[in-house]
Amino acid sequence: MPRAVLIAFLISLTGCSPSEEQPVGSPVQVTLPSDKAQAKSRDEFTIVIAADPWCPHNCLTGSAREGYSIDMAREVFAAAGYDIEYLNVSWARAIQLAREGRIDAVAGAFTGDAPDFVFPQEPIGLSQTNLYTNAASQWKYQGIGSLKGQTLLAINGYSYSPELDAYIERNLNDPNYVWILSGPAPLDRAISLLDQRRADVFVEDELVMNWALQTQSNLPPPRNAGKFYQAPVFIAFSPTNPKAEELAKVLSDGTRELRQSGRLSEIMASYGLPLLSVD
């Protein structure tokens, strides 16, 4: 069975429960072809990338628009002779699978998400993170201290900023301060909890929130309570992959070429987005 198909099959077995994180089974045993020069081998020339849907950065696998970062990766790596296999799992599971060497990379990563991973020099995009409340709230973000008295929603395995990550870690066991959301649709769940006033504040990327509200008319729009953090976004490679440095360089070089040629502007425009400056 080809490597990517085998991985997808095993992940489907270990990821059946939609409500909570499940332990991942034993690592996939990969047998590489004996002839390393076989350019058509999927084992050597297929890059398996996983992430939870975080559209428009990376979206649902198999959809007409899988996200600008996946489109970029497909074009860059196709030019270098690679295929991309893109899978959707929860973010915490994606990080775990990459650390175990069962996939090659994760999409939509901040450097704080997995500092042990191999990051390209060139980011694929930029994330502007905001804090959101229910529509009737008057609360405004004025620094970490202003979170006192608020119940914060965060997604399992996400890194937000050094300061907020430390705040979440300090208050992880106090549900009056922090709730951690897992499962296949944490964004929808967070918006629902805000609307029901069961929690007070949710931290999310601005493009992701806007995309969700534009594409899901059933979601009650939350209120933007202030900009929080801005950071570059990457496709990051498994630290156990011996080709990680090489793949990161291919992606960096290819991303620069897409930007210089104007092709990156075309990809972003297909999602209704401007070309984001990452300088």
Side-chain angles (χ1 to χ4, degrees):
M1 182 181 292
R3 177 187 180 214
V5 174
L6 177 59
I7 290 174
F9 173 72
L10 290 177
I11 290 175
S12 71
L13 293 180
T14 59
C16 294
S17 171
S19 57
E20 297 293 337
E21 295 294 325
Q22 298 293 324
V24 177
S26 58
V28 174
Q29 298 300 314
V30 178
T31 302
L32 294 176
S34 57
D35 182 3
K36 303 290 176 141
Q38 291 178 357
K40 293 185 179 180
S41 168
R42 284 183 60 112
D43 283 346
E44 280 194 273
F45 295 94
T46 295
I47 300 168
V48 183
I49 301 174
D52 59 337
W54 200 48
C55 211
H57 302 287
N58 52 273
C59 307
L60 286 172
T61 183
S63 62
R65 290 185 291 184
E66 291 186 308
Y68 71 82
S69 69
I70 303 302
D71 294 350
M72 291 167 59
R74 288 194 189 281
E75 290 202 19
V76 168
F77 283 112
Y82 290 91
D83 292 323
I84 295 294
E85 184 81 11
Y86 172 51
L87 307 174
N88 287 148
V89 295
S90 74
W91 183 243
R93 190 187 302 281
I95 295 291
Q96 181 181 2
L97 290 170
R99 284 203 173 109
E100 293 174 352
R102 294 173 59 185
I103 63 172
D104 300 304
V106 296
F110 294 169
T111 54
D113 281 310
D116 55 321
F117 280 40
V118 177
F119 283 78
Q121 291 184 352
E122 189 79 12
I124 57 170
L126 188 69
S127 173
Q128 170 61 59
T129 304
N130 298 334
L131 292 176
Y132 295 91
T133 69
N134 70 69
S137 173
Q138 298 299 310
W139 179 85
K140 292 183 179 180
Y141 178 68
Q142 297 176 316
I144 288 292
S146 65
L147 289 172
K148 184 177 181 180
Q150 307 295 312
T151 301
L152 175 72
L153 299 172
I155 297 176
N156 189 28
Y158 273 35
S159 173
Y160 295 101
S161 76
E163 190 176 28
L164 187 59
D165 292 349
Y167 175 86
I168 292 171
E169 182 66 25
R170 287 196 306 271
N171 296 286
L172 195 57
N173 296 318
D174 190 340
N176 292 315
Y177 284 90
V178 174
W179 289 6
I180 301 297
L181 302 180
S182 300
L187 172 58
D188 294 9
R189 178 64 174 154
I191 293 174
S192 176
L193 289 170
L194 291 180
D195 187 58
Q196 297 168 15
R197 304 192 184 189
R198 294 176 58 192
D200 301 308
V201 182
F202 176 55
V203 55
E204 185 55 275
D205 175 271
E206 185 173 77
L207 292 180
V208 174
M209 179 63 77
N210 291 344
W211 187 275
L213 296 176
Q214 291 166 11
T215 57
Q216 300 182 62
S217 59
N218 61 312
L219 293 179
R223 167 181 162 271
N224 187 338
K227 294 184 181 297
F228 173 68
Y229 188 69
Q230 185 170 281
V233 180
F234 297 87
I235 289 176
F237 294 88
S238 166
T240 66
N241 187 336
K243 295 177 66 175
E245 295 283 355
E246 174 188 339
L247 295 176
K249 185 178 187 306
V250 169
L251 185 55
S252 283
D253 292 346
T255 300
R256 281 191 287 268
E257 291 176 9
L258 290 179
R259 187 179 297 275
Q260 292 167 3
S261 69
R263 176 57 183 151
L264 183 53
S265 293
E266 295 175 356
I267 293 173
M268 300 299 288
S270 72
Y271 291 85
L273 302 174
L275 182 62
L276 303 174
S277 174
V278 293
D279 297 329

